[in-house]
Amino acid sequence: MLELKDIRKIYQNGDVETRALDGVSLTFGNSEFVAVLGPSGCGKTTLLNIIGGLDRYTSGDLVINGTTTKDFKDREWDAYRNHSVGFVFQNYNLIHHISILENVELGMTLSGVSFEERRRKAIEVLTKVGLEDQLYKKSSQLSGGQKQRVAIARALANDPDIILADEPTGALDSVTSKGVMELIQKIAKEKLVIMVTHNEDIANSYANRIIKLKDGQVIENEQDPKSVEKERGYHPNATAMKFSTAIKLSFTNLKTKFGRTLITAFAGSIGIIGVALVLAISNGFQGELSSLEEETLSTLPITITEFPTTFRGGPPVGVNDDQYNDTNVFDPITEDDLIEHTNVIDDDYLNYLENIDDKFVSSIQYSYGIRPLMIFLDNGEYYNTFDENIMPIELSNSDAYLEGQFSLEAGEYPTEATDVVIIVDVLNRIDANIIRFLGLDPNANIDFNQAIGKTIRVANNDDINLDFSNLLSSFVSRVDEDTYNNGINLTVVGVLKGVADGLETETSGLYYNDGLDDIFIENNIDSDVCADLSSTEIGDLFPDERTKKSFQHMYGCIDTPQLIRIYPASFDEKDEVLSYLDEYNIGLSEEDQVIYTDLAQQISGLLGSVISNVSLVLVAFAAVSLVVSSIMIGIITYVSVLERTKEIGILRSLGARKKDISRVFNAESSIIGFFAGVLGISITFILSFPLNNLLKEQLTGFGNIVILRADHALYLIIVSISLTFIAGLIPARIAANKDPVKALRHNE
Ligand code: ADP
Ligand code: MG
């Protein structure tokens, strides 16, 4: 069944040429027990490796069942070793990190035998060699003789035609040797056994044919087989290692080096931790931002003014890169670009607003644009805000807005239409004129509480002197007892301050409740001043309708609002409000449409893009550490390749393809990558607790900032596996290309 024709093997090491085999011609039958004898270095192992397809002859031919192997490809040699040859080595060559049962099964996994069949067969051969009670032990727990029996069982497992044994008793004592030799002798009844030995006694006692080698040549060849059977031709099935086998081999190997695997995975996880933290923080910030939007920005109203004025294109709020004009040409804005629009805020529109679903809005505020003249009586003297250079400001009475934007420093929040409050800035600063106006000494230390309870009167139109010929100062100072006594009575009820994360931290001043509008308009809409303002005589003094109208608003002559503020119930409901407002405009001519402004949206858009840009930069930095750590895993995989050289040789001798070997190491680096990823995500998760506490202390008013998203975590684990897989490709290739013969001789 086997025929060697003038086989030569020449090793070329630089200039030195070693003729390991020098024209060997032999024929072997189907069941023979052949002993190959010869001194050390005569080429016995080389002969065996060539017969077993582990090494390639330099010239000559090896004929298997009448089929020449001259044109054999790698894949055919692999299949030959797997199906037809079983190796038994002097030093057993078991893989020590898997059980002996798994060692025996390994060759069968390569030829795709099913699990049950594999188990059954492995137990059968192990029983045959007398090891049925040792199935689940590791090779390190066995004696030399037992190890060699495992190796014989492994060689028999795939039911090969040829058993090649290289000094199988070389490392055993004589008693143990006897057992092993009897076992081999029994096997030789059914198979071709070629055994290399330098022990002539053993050869004589057990073998039925002896071949002697010297310096790579056959010097004695006892007998040729009596009958050479009909040759059947030779076509073994290709072998392939399943990916699950590769994973298992790597996994058990990593398990035996648990400490090192852990350290490797930890080192690999550092990059993952970096990226995960950045992602978590940016995610947390985005989350905080949206709750900031919800809490703070939602208290900002949608505004509708009588005369919204915008420029072409609008102001550049929240600009991003692709909006930049990349030419060097000026774009002049002229008056023609001023889009002037008049919002017709009539009863129709007001009714429409009133009909909005209550659950969408917390309140709608109407501002009528009055400019009240306030008077304070101090020691019989009347002081007014015009002369004192004070401009009282209207304050919305929306509870959500007031409590969201201002903290109460003294007194109480305004509730009544006649309530007045003082708002100080974050440093408690306030216009000295306001302090003086309230009859207090700005140079003394005035406690907030001293302002509470002060009363102020608002003058009605017909009680003061007005002259519209000078529009800039239509009020001519004349405030007397009558003016004061007829005035609307207001009370200072509180002192407020803008909250830290609010939007009103800068605006200090004297504020009146917007409910004052109704009282003031009711008192003054029929006043002489209002009649005058609508007369042609005075009306002609104004440059345009718009200016005239704002004067009419100032003096309370118009009972439709100049400005409407709509406070959405929450951030989520804002969109509903906006679409309700948009609905009004459907089908209306451009002229009749009512345009609104949504400041909250403009602000949040700007913040959002800043955060995502910053986190992009940070992710890029962290990614560098990710790459560095995967290169390190690549190096560690290479170290593992060096350590597992022997295992590579064993696998190849069992018929594993180069591809299967690289698969084992790719599996190993992927497993490390997986653990690095999982470890990195876990560490990030654990770190997020102290980090959140720390950040919460530093950034008042913020909630949890380090929040790792589940999908990010999953992606990072995949990234970790992919990167380490890529880093492990080169070491895996190196492993695959190792010469199996050299790999088996490794550490000998
Ligand atoms: P044996 O098994 O009979 O002791 P080997 O078959 O191992 O001998 O070796 C036969 C000869 O070939 C020896 O001289 C050995 O030094 C040489 N040899 C074996 N392998 C190599 C190799 N990879 N490179 C160079 N010489 C080698
Ligand atoms: Mg040898």
Side-chain angles (χ1 to χ4, degrees):
M1 72 172 303
L2 270 185
E3 202 182 341
L4 280 71
K5 290 182 176 168
D6 197 26
I7 292 275
R8 276 165 220 278
K9 176 69 183 179
I10 298 162
Y11 290 110
Q12 190 85 41
N13 268 339
D15 286 344
V16 188
E17 198 176 79
T18 313
R19 292 180 164 263
L21 293 177
D22 197 8
V24 174
S25 296
L26 289 166
T27 314
F28 297 102
N30 266 348
S31 50
E32 283 190 275
F33 191 171
V34 185
V36 179
L37 276 171
S40 181
C42 71
K44 302 184 296 293
T45 300
T46 306
L47 178 68
L48 221 54
N49 286 341
I50 283 174
I51 292 174
L54 209 50
D55 210 351
R56 304 283 174 275
Y57 44 83
T58 313
S59 69
D61 191 7
L62 172 69
V63 181
I64 310 165
N65 287 342
T67 304
T68 172
T69 57
K70 270 185 181 153
D71 304 321
F72 261 30
K73 305 267 183 336
D74 277 352
R75 138 175 75 84
E76 288 161 311
W77 282 118
D78 295 336
Y80 168 64
R81 278 199 310 281
N82 185 260
H83 293 280
S84 305
V85 181
F87 282 96
V88 178
F89 304 95
Q90 175 176 358
N91 50 4
Y92 333 119
N93 280 346
L94 300 177
I95 297 174
H96 48 78
H97 58 80
I98 54 179
S99 71
I100 66 166
L101 189 61
E102 285 163 334
N103 264 289
V104 173
E105 284 179 358
L106 206 51
M108 289 186 281
T109 64
L110 292 171
S111 49
V113 178
S114 74
F115 175 78
E116 293 81 16
E117 175 66 10
R118 226 156 62 203
R119 267 287 128 101
R120 194 189 59 71
K121 194 77 213 265
I123 293 173
E124 184 191 307
V125 288
L126 280 165
T127 311
K128 201 167 182 175
V129 301
L131 289 176
E132 61 273 27
D133 348 316
Q134 318 283 335
L135 301 179
Y136 300 101
K137 286 193 174 164
K138 295 269 165 74
S139 63
S140 56
Q141 296 164 292
L142 301 181
S143 70
Q146 285 174 318
K147 281 184 197 169
Q148 198 56 296
R149 283 165 189 274
V150 175
I152 292 168
R154 179 179 61 188
L156 290 175
N158 241 358
D159 206 13
D161 300 324
I162 308 159
I163 300 288
L164 301 174
D166 194 350
E167 315 231 11
T169 57
L172 303 175
D173 60 69
S174 53
V175 180
T176 320
S177 292
K178 193 163 174 280
V180 169
M181 281 318 299
E182 277 164 4
L183 184 61
I184 293 176
Q185 197 179 31
K186 214 161 78 189
I187 291 164
K189 292 208 165 68
E190 304 159 7
K191 295 181 194 296
L192 168 62
V193 176
I194 304 173
M195 180 185 74
V196 160
T197 180
H198 55 254
N199 185 329
E200 221 157 318
D201 287 343
I202 286 186
N204 289 328
S205 332
Y206 298 99
N208 44 38
R209 176 178 169 195
I210 289 173
I211 294 170
K212 285 191 178 159
L213 279 188
K214 196 173 176 235
D215 298 335
Q217 290 180 325
V218 179
I219 52 164
E220 198 182 313
N221 184 4
E222 269 191 348
Q223 62 189 109
D224 271 317
K226 287 168 215 114
S227 59
V228 175
E229 313 85 6
K230 272 252 163 302
E231 304 292 11
R232 292 164 278 152
Y234 188 71
H235 305 284
N237 292 329
T239 57
M241 185 189 283
K242 279 209 192 117
F243 201 68
S244 58
T245 308
I247 297 239
K248 190 177 163 57
L249 274 178
S250 299
F251 189 74
T252 51
N253 174 54
L254 289 173
K255 220 162 65 180
T256 54
K257 298 172 199 147
F258 183 73
R260 195 178 73 187
T261 306
L262 198 71
I263 292 169
T264 312
F266 178 70
S269 71
I270 290 170
I272 296 288
I273 295 173
V275 178
L277 274 182
V278 173
L279 287 176
I281 289 172
S282 102
N283 173 43
F285 257 113
Q286 302 276 16
E288 274 302 302
L289 203 75
S290 17
S291 62
L292 185 88
E293 282 171 351
E294 278 168 37
E295 285 168 22
T296 312
L297 296 183
S298 72
T299 62
L300 280 184
I302 300 157
T303 55
I304 298 160
T305 62
E306 221 175 359
F307 299 105
T309 308
T310 48
F311 285 99
R312 165 173 51 87
V317 175
V319 182
N320 52 37
D321 289 354
D322 45 311
Q323 275 176 294
Y324 274 89
N325 186 337
D326 53 9
T327 71
N328 289 331
V329 182
F330 288 115
D331 178 9
I333 292 174
T334 65
E335 241 173 56
D336 295 338
D337 291 316
L338 190 72
I339 301 162
E340 236 177 286
H341 179 83
T342 304
N343 278 335
V344 184
I345 304 177
D346 53 12
D347 286 346
D348 253 11
Y349 191 70
L350 294 175
N351 279 336
Y352 182 77
L353 283 188
E354 282 304 318
N355 285 332
I356 192 167
D357 196 329
D358 276 348
K359 60 176 195 277
F360 296 150
V361 291
S362 70
S363 72
I364 302 178
Q365 308 284 321
Y366 302 96
S367 173
Y368 293 83
I370 62 165
R371 195 191 284 168
L373 180 75
M374 297 189 180
I375 310 161
F376 186 81
L377 174 62
D378 188 28
N379 286 330
E381 295 273 350
Y382 298 101
Y383 299 91
N384 70 72
T385 48
F386 185 86
D387 287 340
E388 302 304 323
N389 252 329
I390 297 166
M391 173 73 98
I393 311 165
E394 188 176 65
L395 182 65
S396 157
N397 66 30
S398 150
D399 290 345
Y401 171 74
L402 286 174
E403 282 161 28
Q405 295 292 339
F406 302 102
S407 64
L408 187 63
E409 301 295 310
E412 52 197 44
Y413 284 112
T415 48
E416 303 293 320
T418 54
D419 285 348
V420 169
V421 290
I422 294 168
I423 295 178
V424 294
D425 75 0
V426 286
L427 301 173
N428 289 0
R429 290 182 299 192
I430 184 75
D431 183 0
N433 290 337
I434 294 175
I435 302 299
R436 204 177 294 115
F437 176 69
L438 293 173
L440 301 167
D441 179 4
N443 297 317
N445 276 336
I446 309 292
D447 189 275
F448 288 161
N449 283 305
Q450 285 180 255
I452 310 294
K454 299 276 184 192
T455 57
I456 298 169
R457 298 267 166 116
V458 173
N460 287 310
N461 287 346
D462 291 342
D463 295 332
I464 48 176
N465 216 3
L466 291 166
D467 174 11
F468 292 105
S469 61
N470 180 0
L471 292 176
L472 283 177
S473 56
S474 47
F475 165 69
V476 180
S477 180
R478 187 186 68 88
V479 173
D480 56 20
E481 203 179 335
D482 282 347
T483 322
Y484 187 82
N485 289 340
N486 291 338
I488 306 161
N489 198 25
L490 308 181
T491 314
V492 178
V493 296
V495 177
L496 308 181
K497 188 190 277 189
V499 294
D501 51 0
L503 294 152
E504 307 282 5
T505 50
E506 310 266 319
T507 43
S508 68
L510 185 65
Y511 284 78
Y512 61 92
N513 191 307
D514 62 6
L516 180 64
D517 293 22
D518 293 337
I519 303 175
F520 187 74
I521 290 167
E522 200 184 310
N523 281 4
N524 290 287
I525 195 160
D526 297 324
S527 65
D528 295 343
V529 169
C530 285
D532 287 350
L533 278 173
S534 55
S535 72
T536 42
E537 193 187 330
I538 290 183
D540 285 350
L541 293 171
F542 295 99
D544 52 34
E545 183 64 19
R546 192 173 165 167
T547 318
K548 181 185 151 188
K549 204 143 185 221
S550 72
F551 267 79
Q552 288 176 307
H553 277 297
M554 276 185 218
Y555 290 102
C557 309
I558 300 179
D559 62 357
T560 57
Q562 188 191 36
L563 171 69
I564 303 171
R565 296 187 190 90
I566 304 171
Y567 294 86
S570 76
F571 197 73
D572 296 333
E573 255 91 54
K574 202 179 76 181
D575 289 341
E576 302 285 346
V577 177
L578 294 182
S579 53
Y580 185 79
L581 296 180
D582 289 337
E583 235 167 76
Y584 181 84
N585 292 334
I586 293 171
L588 291 184
S589 66
E590 208 169 307
E591 211 170 278
D592 292 335
Q593 291 185 353
V594 177
I595 300 170
Y596 58 81
T597 313
D598 178 14
L599 186 64
Q601 192 184 33
Q602 292 172 348
I603 292 174
S604 65
L606 185 65
L607 289 177
S609 77
V610 168
I611 292 210
S612 48
N613 284 341
V614 168
S615 39
L616 209 66
V617 171
L618 292 177
V619 165
F621 273 110
V624 172
S625 65
L626 198 61
V627 169
V628 170
S629 59
S630 30
I631 289 174
M632 218 187 55
I633 287 178
I635 292 167
I636 288 166
T637 307
Y638 180 63
V639 172
S640 175
V641 167
L642 294 182
E643 281 180 357
R644 294 171 78 182
T645 302
K646 195 64 165 261
E647 187 178 333
I648 295 168
I650 297 167
L651 285 169
R652 292 303 305 275
S653 76
L654 287 171
R657 301 165 302 168
K658 288 183 176 184
K659 220 190 259 178
D660 300 326
I661 301 299
S662 60
R663 202 169 264 188
V664 169
F665 289 95
N666 284 335
E668 173 159 325
S669 53
S670 302
I671 291 171
I672 295 179
F674 174 75
F675 282 119
V678 171
L679 198 66
I681 295 301
S682 314
I683 292 176
T684 308
F685 185 70
I686 293 164
L687 277 181
S688 70
F689 294 100
L691 272 178
N692 273 329
N693 284 338
L694 194 80
L695 287 171
K696 248 185 263 183
E697 274 166 33
Q698 298 302 315
L699 306 163
T700 39
F702 274 62
N704 284 348
I705 291 195
V706 189
I707 304 167
L708 187 60
R709 270 167 48 182
D711 57 339
H712 284 169
L714 193 71
Y715 290 145
L716 280 176
I717 292 174
I718 293 170
V719 164
S720 176
I721 295 173
S722 316
L723 278 180
T724 51
F725 179 83
I726 292 167
L729 279 178
I730 293 172
R733 245 189 110 85
I734 294 172
N737 287 329
K738 272 193 186 297
D739 178 355
V741 175
K742 280 189 196 148
L744 282 169
R745 285 182 196 228
H746 189 72
N747 285 343
E748 255 175 34

